Amino acid sequence: MKFSDFQHILSPERLNRYVVACGNDTRKAMSLYRLNLNLSQEVFTLLSCFEVSLRNAIDRELTARYGVDWLRDSVANGGIFDIASCRDSARIISKAYNRLNRNGEYTHYKLLAEMEFGVWKYMFANPQYRATGQILLRIFPNKPRSSAEIQYNNTYMFNELDGINILRNRIAHHEPICFARRQPQIGTVYILNAYQNLHKLFMWMGIDSHSLLYGLDHVQQVCNRINAI
């Protein structure tokens, strides 16, 4: 495809950063755009596996403590999230439950699947962490012990998950992930750091991520191709 057609379809505003980063070489800019899409697909695969793993680990802990319908029950009168400090979580859960129930489709597992990543992230915010019994750090049995320098507490985990949430939203909103942070140049340091962080959190959860993602994880290879442009 000619660059003029490529640009007409995707918009000059979207492609300008790619053109600048490639020294005004439009053929390289098109290649970079396509590789960014490839990288986004690769990273989103890892994010999807991590989100499901995190969700299921949280579900196992809270099912054992509060019963199989704990998520539905959490927003009922007197439920664990029926408090002012958890109203945002309660609103999201209630909206999803009401929709499923109205359509006669409610099951606990369907309600779990309706939750956005932010719901699981906020399980480690102070109000939700306290409301769920301060037990959810158990899902990270291999995390380091806290020290005077670093406290590996719920706030630490919230911040880790917030970084993943930001990356997830960038990809979901079609933002590029192949550039240096706040710089008009090619760079994969940000995404490789996030990639290593994902594998670290899998390990903290006691999950062999390399076996789980066998045949699916090509992030390093795509980053190498991007850096070679």
Side-chain angles (χ1 to χ4, degrees):
M1 178 178 281
K2 293 180 180 178
F3 179 75
S4 57
D5 296 330
F6 198 75
Q7 182 176 246
H8 177 71
I9 294 167
L10 297 172
S11 86
E13 292 78 12
R14 172 168 287 273
L15 287 178
N16 181 63
R17 190 174 180 185
Y18 295 86
V19 173
V20 171
C22 292
N24 295 316
D25 186 323
T26 56
R27 184 167 295 278
K28 285 185 177 180
M30 288 192 291
S31 294
L32 180 59
Y33 191 88
R34 292 184 174 110
L35 281 170
N36 179 75
L37 291 177
N38 190 185
L39 182 60
S40 296
Q41 291 170 335
E42 292 289 338
V43 174
F44 205 80
T45 296
L46 272 64
L47 290 170
S48 297
C49 290
F50 178 77
E51 182 171 350
V52 172
S53 301
L54 177 72
R55 179 178 79 195
N56 289 343
I58 291 172
D59 180 51
R60 283 191 292 271
E61 287 294 331
L62 297 185
T63 293
R65 190 175 183 92
Y66 297 109
V68 70
D69 290 304
W70 70 266
L71 190 57
R72 178 199 66 187
D73 296 344
S74 72
V75 296
N77 290 336
I80 57 174
F81 292 151
D82 184 29
I83 53 178
S85 59
C86 295
R87 62 179 177 272
D88 289 339
S89 292
R91 175 181 52 79
I92 294 168
I93 296 165
S94 294
K95 183 178 179 180
Y97 169 69
N98 289 336
R99 181 172 62 253
L100 290 171
N101 192 50
R102 186 168 57 248
N103 295 332
E105 298 175 346
Y106 168 75
T107 67
H108 173 66
Y109 299 104
K110 284 187 177 181
L111 185 57
L112 279 179
E114 288 283 319
M115 296 299 102
E116 57 197 46
F117 187 83
V119 169
W120 309 120
K121 174 183 74 175
Y122 271 96
M123 290 292 184
F124 294 89
N126 285 332
Q128 288 85 344
Y129 186 70
R130 288 193 294 266
T132 52
Q134 303 184 77
I135 62 171
L136 288 182
L137 286 178
R138 294 176 186 171
I139 73 169
F140 298 105
N142 294 338
K143 73 175 180 62
R145 291 187 176 184
S146 295
S147 66
E149 292 76 25
I150 303 178
Q151 293 292 308
Y152 293 99
N153 53 21
N154 64 291
T155 300
Y156 181 96
M157 297 312 306
F158 175 87
N159 290 331
E160 291 285 286
L161 296 175
D162 188 48
I164 291 171
N165 201 180
I166 290 169
L167 174 59
R168 186 185 187 280
N169 289 343
R170 282 189 64 83
I171 295 173
H173 291 95
H174 316 299
E175 292 297 318
I177 58 172
C178 62
F179 296 115
R181 298 298 298 273
R182 303 180 184 87
Q183 297 291 328
Q185 61 189 43
I186 296 170
T188 58
V189 171
Y190 162 66
I191 205 64
L192 286 173
N193 284 340
Y195 168 78
Q196 295 295 338
N197 207 42
L198 273 171
H199 279 286
K200 177 191 75 177
L201 292 176
F202 272 122
M203 185 269 289
W204 286 6
M205 292 172 70
I207 295 171
D208 180 353
S209 57
H210 296 288
S211 294
L212 175 67
L213 299 166
Y214 178 76
L216 299 173
D217 183 356
H218 310 106
V219 170
Q220 294 271 10
Q221 294 94 315
V222 180
C223 283
N224 290 340
R225 292 176 65 194
I226 288 171
N227 291 329
I229 287 181

